[in-house]
């Protein structure tokens, strides 16, 4: 295992999550290094998405804690939490990320609009800006949601299967966007089975039955 020289952006201590009588996570202790890519791997039902949701603040643990300091976080789920029938455009979906920086009671500044445009261009969805979100293909929706996360320009970006179900070109766009976030200085944590993302990772977290079985740097 290679030593991680970066200080932790996120730390978990004794983290556990239970659904009724089923334990999804049990006693998870982790340090997520700042400014690096951490990839969470493991079989279906291992607790990967649950761990990501807890790190994002979207789920409350049954025991233990997550320490994030004052870092801002952006969470991109695998599936859109937006009704397919909601009359909202792709640009409006992406803009939600920028609204997270100023609140809905303030107007978006020219600089924030530039960030929205840049995120859409980076994910090659600028031409879809005024299309209804519900008319997009699954891959296009995933790119729009990732663009929303990029527009947030958060300290920590948390992604659930950001390349799953995408064609090769779209998956490559998403990988490059993730690499650019690391270059920006963000910390990225993602759940993935993608060999390309795993090869990019600075740290791999392997889960099985809700427990960490390995936390190490991948072989280069």
């Amino acid at each position: 295992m290679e030593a991680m020289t970066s200080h932790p952006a996120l730390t978990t201590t004794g983290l556990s999550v239970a659904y009724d009588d089923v334990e999804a996570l049990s006693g998870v202790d982790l340090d997520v290094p700042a400014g690096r890519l951490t990839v969470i791997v493991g079989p279906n039902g291992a607790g990967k998405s649950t761990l990501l949701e807890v790190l994002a603040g979207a789920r409350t643990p049954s025991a233990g804690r997550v320490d994030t300091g004052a870092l801002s976080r952006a969470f991109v789920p695998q599936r859109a939490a937006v009704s397919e029938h909601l009359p909202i455009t792709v640009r409006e979906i992406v803009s939600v990320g920028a609204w997270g920086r100023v609140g809905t009671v303030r107007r978006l500044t020219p600089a924030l609009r530039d960030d929205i445009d840049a995120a859409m261009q980076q994910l090659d969805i600028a031409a879809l800006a005024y299309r209804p979100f519900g008319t997009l293909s699954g891959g296009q929706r995933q790119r729009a949601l990732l663009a929303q996360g990029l527009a947030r320009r958060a300290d920590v970006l948390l992604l659930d299967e950001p390349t799953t179900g995408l064609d090769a070109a779209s998956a490559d766009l998403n990988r490059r966007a993730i690499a650019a976030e690391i270059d920006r200085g963000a910390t990225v944590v993602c759940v993935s089975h993608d060999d390309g993302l795993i090869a990019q990772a600075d740290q791999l977290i392997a889960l099985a039955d809700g427990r960490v079985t390995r936390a190490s740097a991948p072989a280069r």
Side-chain angles (χ1 to χ4, degrees), residues 139-174:
Q140 289 169 334
R141 289 184 195 181
Q142 193 65 19
R143 281 187 281 147
L145 291 172
L146 180 53
Q148 181 189 94
L150 299 185
R152 180 71 173 85
R153 295 186 68 82
D155 300 314
V156 181
L157 181 62
L158 300 124
L159 310 172
D160 196 356
E161 299 283 5
T163 60
T164 294
L166 302 185
D167 59 36
S170 294
D172 187 57
L173 280 172
N174 285 12

Side-chain angles (χ1 to χ4, degrees), residues 96-171:
V96 170
W99 281 118
R101 293 157 63 182
V102 298
T104 56
V105 298
R106 296 175 59 188
R107 294 175 62 86
L108 291 177
T109 65
L112 291 175
R113 292 192 184 96
D114 287 346
D115 287 343
I116 293 166
D117 290 338
M120 295 181 70
Q121 290 166 3
Q122 191 171 5
L123 274 301
D124 195 26
I125 56 171
L128 306 175
Y130 298 103
R131 284 264 302 272
F133 182 72
T135 67
L136 300 188
S137 68
Q140 289 169 334
R141 289 184 195 181
Q142 193 65 19
R143 281 187 281 147
L145 291 172
L146 180 53
Q148 181 189 94
L150 299 185
R152 180 71 173 85
R153 295 186 68 82
D155 300 314
V156 181
L157 181 62
L158 300 124
L159 310 172
D160 196 356
E161 299 283 5
T163 60
T164 294
L166 302 185
D167 59 36
S170 294

Side-chain angles (χ1 to χ4, degrees), residues 35-217:
R36 306 291 187 92
L37 172 60
T38 293
V39 176
I40 303 169
V41 299
N44 290 339
K48 303 184 300 297
S49 293
T50 298
L51 175 57
L52 197 69
E53 290 170 358
V54 174
L55 293 177
R59 185 175 298 280
T60 302
S62 307
R65 69 179 189 270
V66 179
D67 296 321
T68 64
L71 298 180
S72 60
R73 289 168 287 174
F75 176 43
V76 180
Q78 185 175 359
R79 292 179 59 87
V82 175
S83 169
E84 296 179 4
H85 306 292
L86 189 68
I88 187 169
T89 67
V90 173
R91 185 178 177 82
E92 287 168 335
I93 284 286
V94 177
S95 296
V96 170
W99 281 118
R101 293 157 63 182
V102 298
T104 56
V105 298
R106 296 175 59 188
R107 294 175 62 86
L108 291 177
T109 65
L112 291 175
R113 292 192 184 96
D114 287 346
D115 287 343
I116 293 166
D117 290 338
M120 295 181 70
Q121 290 166 3
Q122 191 171 5
L123 274 301
D124 195 26
I125 56 171
L128 306 175
Y130 298 103
R131 284 264 302 272
F133 182 72
T135 67
L136 300 188
S137 68
Q140 289 169 334
R141 289 184 195 181
Q142 193 65 19
R143 281 187 281 147
L145 291 172
L146 180 53
Q148 181 189 94
L150 299 185
R152 180 71 173 85
R153 295 186 68 82
D155 300 314
V156 181
L157 181 62
L158 300 124
L159 310 172
D160 196 356
E161 299 283 5
T163 60
T164 294
L166 302 185
D167 59 36
S170 294
D172 187 57
L173 280 172
N174 285 12
R175 289 188 208 102
R176 282 189 279 152
I178 290 167
E181 283 294 279
I182 297 296
D183 289 343
R184 179 175 70 81
T187 299
V188 181
V189 183
C190 67
V191 169
S192 185
H193 297 93
D194 179 358
D195 289 340
L197 272 180
I198 290 170
Q200 289 178 218
D202 298 293
Q203 177 172 244
L204 286 179
I205 304 297
L207 291 181
D209 298 322
R211 298 177 183 274
V212 175
T213 60
R214 180 165 58 99
S216 64

